[in-house]
């Protein structure tokens, strides 16, 4: 199983607050943004840079700037909960959106919305807090690749082993970054111990 679990004390402590069933939406939303910002540091560790000259008040030296552009693609709806945090550390990123829903006849995930930035060569981070069965992540990445996107990575909060294995098998070129790798999926497709329905907890719906 190929997965990057970002095991940092700040992330793990915030994750505990997110797991707590008594954490209210207002706190949940705030903490998930902080977690997304911290996780973005690790997910972008291999971001390409180019050398530039910079003049300090004392002398000229070399520094760097990000080479090319960065695109973030939240999978609707829960992926939106990551956006404030990701954009707080990469404010220049372009944002694409992809909406996946379950076809009630075939039970397969299908795309209902997709709007992407023009730069298909961008360094792209696909975000969704929960990697459960892997169905929507795989289908979303299928669609992004079909439209020509390359250089993709997937960032989540909680991953289930079942989803990681499926995503690894379907898209071995897409690294996965998560805060925690949980135990299993229950019979309703919820991650255990998990944190419940991430979209409902972010948006205060039931
Ligand atoms: N989606 C969620 O929001 N939570 C889960 O546990 C599984 C899928």
């Amino acid at each position: 199983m190929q997965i990057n679990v970002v095991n940092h004390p700040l992330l793990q402590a915030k994750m505990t607050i997110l797991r707590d069933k008594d954490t209210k939406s207002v706190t949940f939303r705030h903490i998930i943004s902080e977690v997304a910002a911290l996780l973005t540091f690790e997910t972008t560790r291999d971001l390409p840079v180019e050398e530039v000259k910079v003049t300090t008040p004392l002398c000229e030296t070399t520094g760097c700037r990000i080479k090319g552009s960065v695109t973030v693609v939240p999978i609707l709806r829960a992926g939106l909960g990551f956006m404030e945090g990701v954009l707080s550390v990469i404010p220049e990123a372009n944002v694409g959106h992809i909406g996946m829903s379950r076809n009630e006849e075939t039970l397969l995930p299908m795309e209902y919305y997709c709007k992407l930035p023009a730069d298909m060569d961008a360094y792209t981070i696909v975000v969704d807090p929960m990697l459960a069965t892997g169905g929507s992540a795989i289908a979303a990445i299928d669609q992004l690749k079909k439209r020509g996107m390359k250089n993709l990575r997937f960032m989540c909060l909680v991953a289930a082993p079942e989803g990681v294995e499926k995503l690894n098998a379907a898209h071995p070129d897409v690294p996965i970054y998560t805060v925690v790798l949980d135990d299993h999926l229950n019979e309703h497709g919820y991650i255990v111990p998990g944190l419940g329905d991430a979209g409902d907890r972010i948006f205060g719906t039931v």
Side-chain angles (χ1 to χ4, degrees), residues 24-140:
K24 302 261 179 299
S25 277
V26 60
T27 309
F28 193 92
R29 217 178 277 153
H30 178 73
I31 304 270
I32 205 171
S33 279
E34 291 182 339
V35 167
L38 292 167
L39 189 55
T40 300
F41 270 80
E42 200 53 40
T43 304
T44 55
R45 191 172 278 285
D46 62 341
L47 198 57
V49 292
E50 58 195 357
E51 209 173 274
V52 291
K53 292 260 174 280
V54 59
T55 308
T56 77
L58 302 180
C59 66
E60 188 176 89
T61 185
T62 49
C64 71
R65 69 173 164 227
I66 306 302
K67 194 171 168 194
S69 63
V70 177
T71 292
V72 189
V73 184
I75 301 180
L76 303 177
R77 134 188 98 136
L80 293 175
F82 266 11
M83 291 314 298
E84 194 181 315
V86 176
L87 293 177
S88 72
V89 287
I90 324 178
E92 65 279 19
N94 295 313
V95 181
H97 291 91
I98 187 156
M100 308 299 306
S101 65
R102 199 159 80 135
N103 180 313
E104 289 310 327
E105 276 165 28
T106 63
L107 300 182
L108 295 172
M110 47 173 251
E111 177 192 304
Y112 66 85
Y113 183 80
C114 187
K115 189 88 181 164
L116 301 173
D119 184 0
M120 292 292 138
D121 294 325
Y123 181 102
T124 299
I125 312 169
V126 182
V127 301
D128 194 352
M130 309 301 276
L131 177 58
T133 61
S136 42
I138 292 168

Side-chain angles (χ1 to χ4, degrees), residues 5-17 31 35 38 179-180:
V5 179
V6 184
N7 194 9
H8 189 288
L10 286 174
L11 280 169
Q12 299 302 330
K14 289 177 194 299
M15 188 63 219
T16 306
I17 300 169
I31 304 270
V35 167
L38 292 167
V179 179
V180 285

Side-chain angles (χ1 to χ4, degrees), residues 151-169:
N151 203 6
L152 301 164
R153 62 219 57 231
F154 183 81
M155 185 168 101
C156 62
L157 192 59
V158 186
E162 295 88 334
V164 175
E165 270 167 22
K166 284 207 184 123
L167 183 51
N168 281 165

Side-chain angles (χ1 to χ4, degrees), residues 78 130-133 185 188-192 194-200:
M130 309 301 276
L131 177 58
T133 61
L185 286 179
H188 305 293
Y190 278 92
I191 303 176
V192 181
L195 48 73
D197 187 300
D200 284 345

